[in-house]
Amino acid sequence: MLQVRNASVFFSARDGRVVHALDRASLDIDANSIVVALGASGCGKSTLLNAIAGFLPLSEGSITLDGQPVANPGADRGVVFQKDTLLPWSSVADNVALGLRFAGVPARERRERAEELLGLVGLEGFADAFPHELSGGMRQRVGIARALATDPKILLMDEPFGALDSLTREQMQELLIDVWARTGKRIFFITHSIEEALFLGTTVVVMSPRPGRIVARFDLDFVRRFAAERDVRAILSAPEFADLYDEIRSLVHRPHAEADSRRAVLQ
Amino acid sequence: MTDLARAGSRASDPADRPKIVRLHPFGLDGARTGPISFATALLLLAAWFLATHYRLVPPLFLPTPQEVATQFLAVVEDGYAGATLWEHVSASLFRIFSAAVIAASLGIPLGLAMGLNRWAKGVFDTPIEFYWPLPPLAYLPLMIIWLGIGEVSKIVLLTLAMFAPVCLSAQAGVRALPIERVNAALSLGASRWQLFRTIVLPSALPEILTGLRIGIGVGWSTLVAAELIAATRGIGFMIMSASHFLATDVVFVGIGIIAAFAFAFSYGMRLLEAWLVPWKGKS
Ligand SMILES: Nc1ncnc2c1ncn2[C@@H]1O[C@H](COP(=O)(O)OP(=O)(O)O)[C@@H](O)[C@H]1O
Ligand SMILES: [Mg+2]
């Protein structure tokens, strides 16, 4: 289990002011769950993910993965970035197998594993292509395969489909659900799309900016339903979906009202 | 609606070859310049020929192309100023090659270290920033006083001249490394050395090659200048002694040889770039 406890982050802005990017966020990510963090831009989603990935130390609070404190980046937490970070000089297979190479896995085994993973993300036959020969969606698939290669305990995804067109985006969401259903990986997923959050999350946490904090939490089962029935339309047209959509939408659009009311309660 | 759409689409007759278009490029974008350069070279040669043929310039200042060609063959056969042409050329090539190897093997690691390490940057920044704007010929006398008139002083001079661009470009290569690429590698479990080997070095390679190219250019100009002043072999020396006898045709031969080698080097570097960093500029 991944546990985030009272995580706070303060940055210093360029003009010397202190930016309170994350305020006492707490979060549990259990086995077999997809936790989606949803919020407007600037509410601290990336900050939270960077801290979990180990790229950023916390100002206060703690993060543990299966009881071990998280301090540095490591192969137990696979990261998929919004901007693709594939190596332009390496073939797709070599990119996928990068983490295995770091782990000292022999070349032949790396290749086999890479092809297996490329199959999992629907890119059979692209092992010897180069990243610049692929479309944005295909590159993100390679990014997902690469993050899965080291068999991490958790997959961290920072708006991975944010730069894709809506059709590709839907395909990628379904692909991710397939991967999740097949591998049982726990996933922490960031988005600013309410629909994406509802569709993908077993848990959705809504965040609000200045200071970045978690203002609401919803446990959902749309994604399990999709994994079982594979019927997108049934889910999108379900009345619960629409109700939740409206509820979250009003939360995201009036975060301050919500935050203010909570502050009032705290005082 | 449907009619409009149909009217807009053209008949797909296979014999009817479509007109292939592409986006208007900006800048050169790989346009072929070879034929233009070749024509320019021919034009310059023709101008040279005409200027000498009609005696627009006194022959002492500008020899005819034929004279230069004859002189070239004579130098190839008999040598010049006490050494064969090959001895002159190999003396120059040896100096520039050994200096390039030393400058690269010191400048690339040091530049990378300066891009990565506070101490390396702190220690070496001041001396490099201090010496590299100086023209090498300004400290050539010092080199000669300290190291004598032999090969060592010239190779050290050339090494110093080439070192700075190589070192600075390696630093720039590290600085241009996107942090996401580093973070991606770290979250895949890269050790510090693996990070350096598989991410930092290849990412900095295009900049390093550019630095090497600039370095070799600087090396050529410094080499010839140094040989003009202090040498008994070398293309620069050959030019210098020819000028003492007002042998303009030999001066031209020397210049032509330098130009040919500099061009060959430049071309070689371009091949090296195409081989080592074919991905340059792609994503
Ligand atoms: N390195 C940094 N230095 C200073 N401020 C930062 C830094 N990174 C993020 N911030 C600020 O912290 C807040 C949260 O940023 P971020 O986590 O990137 O938001 P999100 O990913 O939700 O859009 C923003 O106000 C942003 O300006
Ligand atoms: Mg972000």
Side-chain angles (χ1 to χ4, degrees), chain A residues 231-243:
Chain A
D231 187 353
V232 188
R233 288 175 84 185
I235 289 167
L236 294 186
S237 59
E240 313 94 272
F241 195 93
D243 292 347

PDB file of all heavy atoms in Angstrom, chain A residues 231-243:
ATOM      1  N   ASP A 231     -18.617  -1.835 -21.947  1.00  0.00           N
ATOM      2  CA  ASP A 231     -19.652  -1.069 -22.630  1.00  0.00           C
ATOM      3  C   ASP A 231     -19.552   0.400 -22.206  1.00  0.00           C
ATOM      4  O   ASP A 231     -20.069   0.804 -21.175  1.00  0.00           O
ATOM      5  CB  ASP A 231     -21.027  -1.647 -22.268  1.00  0.00           C
ATOM      6  CG  ASP A 231     -22.135  -1.003 -23.089  1.00  0.00           C
ATOM      7  OD1 ASP A 231     -21.838  -0.025 -23.818  1.00  0.00           O
ATOM      8  OD2 ASP A 231     -23.282  -1.469 -22.994  1.00  0.00           O
ATOM      9  N   VAL A 232     -18.872   1.173 -23.034  1.00  0.00           N
ATOM     10  CA  VAL A 232     -18.631   2.572 -22.665  1.00  0.00           C
ATOM     11  C   VAL A 232     -19.930   3.344 -22.570  1.00  0.00           C
ATOM     12  O   VAL A 232     -20.151   4.117 -21.637  1.00  0.00           O
ATOM     13  CB  VAL A 232     -17.739   3.262 -23.723  1.00  0.00           C
ATOM     14  CG1 VAL A 232     -17.322   4.629 -23.252  1.00  0.00           C
ATOM     15  CG2 VAL A 232     -16.532   2.416 -24.035  1.00  0.00           C
ATOM     16  N   ARG A 233     -20.812   3.084 -23.554  1.00  0.00           N
ATOM     17  CA  ARG A 233     -22.015   3.913 -23.623  1.00  0.00           C
ATOM     18  C   ARG A 233     -22.894   3.718 -22.396  1.00  0.00           C
ATOM     19  O   ARG A 233     -23.449   4.680 -21.862  1.00  0.00           O
ATOM     20  CB  ARG A 233     -22.794   3.604 -24.894  1.00  0.00           C
ATOM     21  CG  ARG A 233     -22.068   4.157 -26.104  1.00  0.00           C
ATOM     22  CD  ARG A 233     -22.758   3.757 -27.363  1.00  0.00           C
ATOM     23  NE  ARG A 233     -23.870   4.640 -27.702  1.00  0.00           N
ATOM     24  CZ  ARG A 233     -24.674   4.408 -28.737  1.00  0.00           C
ATOM     25  NH1 ARG A 233     -24.515   3.331 -29.468  1.00  0.00           N
ATOM     26  NH2 ARG A 233     -25.641   5.255 -29.019  1.00  0.00           N
ATOM     27  N   ALA A 234     -22.978   2.471 -21.958  1.00  0.00           N
ATOM     28  CA  ALA A 234     -23.796   2.195 -20.778  1.00  0.00           C
ATOM     29  C   ALA A 234     -23.283   2.987 -19.584  1.00  0.00           C
ATOM     30  O   ALA A 234     -24.063   3.511 -18.781  1.00  0.00           O
ATOM     31  CB  ALA A 234     -23.767   0.702 -20.472  1.00  0.00           C
ATOM     32  N   ILE A 235     -21.981   3.087 -19.491  1.00  0.00           N
ATOM     33  CA  ILE A 235     -21.410   3.795 -18.340  1.00  0.00           C
ATOM     34  C   ILE A 235     -21.615   5.297 -18.469  1.00  0.00           C
ATOM     35  O   ILE A 235     -22.085   5.959 -17.543  1.00  0.00           O
ATOM     36  CB  ILE A 235     -19.917   3.450 -18.213  1.00  0.00           C
ATOM     37  CG1 ILE A 235     -19.795   2.001 -17.746  1.00  0.00           C
ATOM     38  CG2 ILE A 235     -19.215   4.384 -17.254  1.00  0.00           C
ATOM     39  CD1 ILE A 235     -18.424   1.442 -17.865  1.00  0.00           C
ATOM     40  N   LEU A 236     -21.290   5.820 -19.656  1.00  0.00           N
ATOM     41  CA  LEU A 236     -21.388   7.269 -19.826  1.00  0.00           C
ATOM     42  C   LEU A 236     -22.832   7.744 -19.705  1.00  0.00           C
ATOM     43  O   LEU A 236     -23.094   8.891 -19.335  1.00  0.00           O
ATOM     44  CB  LEU A 236     -20.806   7.695 -21.181  1.00  0.00           C
ATOM     45  CG  LEU A 236     -19.301   7.471 -21.341  1.00  0.00           C
ATOM     46  CD1 LEU A 236     -18.811   8.074 -22.654  1.00  0.00           C
ATOM     47  CD2 LEU A 236     -18.520   8.054 -20.181  1.00  0.00           C
ATOM     48  N   SER A 237     -23.780   6.863 -20.042  1.00  0.00           N
ATOM     49  CA  SER A 237     -25.174   7.303 -19.969  1.00  0.00           C
ATOM     50  C   SER A 237     -25.850   6.917 -18.647  1.00  0.00           C
ATOM     51  O   SER A 237     -27.034   7.178 -18.454  1.00  0.00           O
ATOM     52  CB  SER A 237     -25.960   6.735 -21.154  1.00  0.00           C
ATOM     53  OG  SER A 237     -25.883   5.329 -21.109  1.00  0.00           O
ATOM     54  N   ALA A 238     -25.092   6.298 -17.755  1.00  0.00           N
ATOM     55  CA  ALA A 238     -25.678   5.920 -16.463  1.00  0.00           C
ATOM     56  C   ALA A 238     -26.035   7.176 -15.668  1.00  0.00           C
ATOM     57  O   ALA A 238     -25.267   8.135 -15.673  1.00  0.00           O
ATOM     58  CB  ALA A 238     -24.700   5.066 -15.667  1.00  0.00           C
ATOM     59  N   PRO A 239     -27.186   7.182 -15.021  1.00  0.00           N
ATOM     60  CA  PRO A 239     -27.569   8.391 -14.284  1.00  0.00           C
ATOM     61  C   PRO A 239     -26.582   8.722 -13.156  1.00  0.00           C
ATOM     62  O   PRO A 239     -26.316   9.899 -12.907  1.00  0.00           O
ATOM     63  CB  PRO A 239     -28.950   8.045 -13.709  1.00  0.00           C
ATOM     64  CG  PRO A 239     -29.211   6.619 -14.013  1.00  0.00           C
ATOM     65  CD  PRO A 239     -28.230   6.145 -15.014  1.00  0.00           C
ATOM     66  N   GLU A 240     -25.990   7.689 -12.512  1.00  0.00           N
ATOM     67  CA  GLU A 240     -25.020   7.995 -11.444  1.00  0.00           C
ATOM     68  C   GLU A 240     -23.844   8.769 -12.007  1.00  0.00           C
ATOM     69  O   GLU A 240     -23.290   9.650 -11.342  1.00  0.00           O
ATOM     70  CB  GLU A 240     -24.446   6.719 -10.814  1.00  0.00           C
ATOM     71  CG  GLU A 240     -25.443   5.649 -10.448  1.00  0.00           C
ATOM     72  CD  GLU A 240     -25.576   4.642 -11.575  1.00  0.00           C
ATOM     73  OE1 GLU A 240     -26.417   4.901 -12.471  1.00  0.00           O
ATOM     74  OE2 GLU A 240     -24.865   3.621 -11.589  1.00  0.00           O
ATOM     75  N   PHE A 241     -23.474   8.393 -13.226  1.00  0.00           N
ATOM     76  CA  PHE A 241     -22.327   9.068 -13.857  1.00  0.00           C
ATOM     77  C   PHE A 241     -22.625  10.554 -14.015  1.00  0.00           C
ATOM     78  O   PHE A 241     -21.822  11.407 -13.638  1.00  0.00           O
ATOM     79  CB  PHE A 241     -22.045   8.415 -15.217  1.00  0.00           C
ATOM     80  CG  PHE A 241     -20.706   8.771 -15.798  1.00  0.00           C
ATOM     81  CD1 PHE A 241     -19.602   7.958 -15.571  1.00  0.00           C
ATOM     82  CD2 PHE A 241     -20.556   9.915 -16.569  1.00  0.00           C
ATOM     83  CE1 PHE A 241     -18.360   8.272 -16.109  1.00  0.00           C
ATOM     84  CE2 PHE A 241     -19.307  10.238 -17.101  1.00  0.00           C
ATOM     85  CZ  PHE A 241     -18.215   9.414 -16.868  1.00  0.00           C
ATOM     86  N   ALA A 242     -23.796  10.838 -14.544  1.00  0.00           N
ATOM     87  CA  ALA A 242     -24.167  12.240 -14.766  1.00  0.00           C
ATOM     88  C   ALA A 242     -24.277  12.999 -13.441  1.00  0.00           C
ATOM     89  O   ALA A 242     -23.812  14.136 -13.334  1.00  0.00           O
ATOM     90  CB  ALA A 242     -25.495  12.304 -15.524  1.00  0.00           C
ATOM     91  N   ASP A 243     -24.843  12.343 -12.429  1.00  0.00           N
ATOM     92  CA  ASP A 243     -24.983  13.018 -11.125  1.00  0.00           C
ATOM     93  C   ASP A 243     -23.616  13.353 -10.548  1.00  0.00           C
ATOM     94  O   ASP A 243     -23.371  14.477 -10.097  1.00  0.00           O
ATOM     95  CB  ASP A 243     -25.733  12.114 -10.136  1.00  0.00           C
ATOM     96  CG  ASP A 243     -27.183  11.947 -10.542  1.00  0.00           C
ATOM     97  OD1 ASP A 243     -27.625  12.733 -11.421  1.00  0.00           O
ATOM     98  OD2 ASP A 243     -27.853  11.034 -10.020  1.00  0.00           O
TER      99      ASP A 243
END
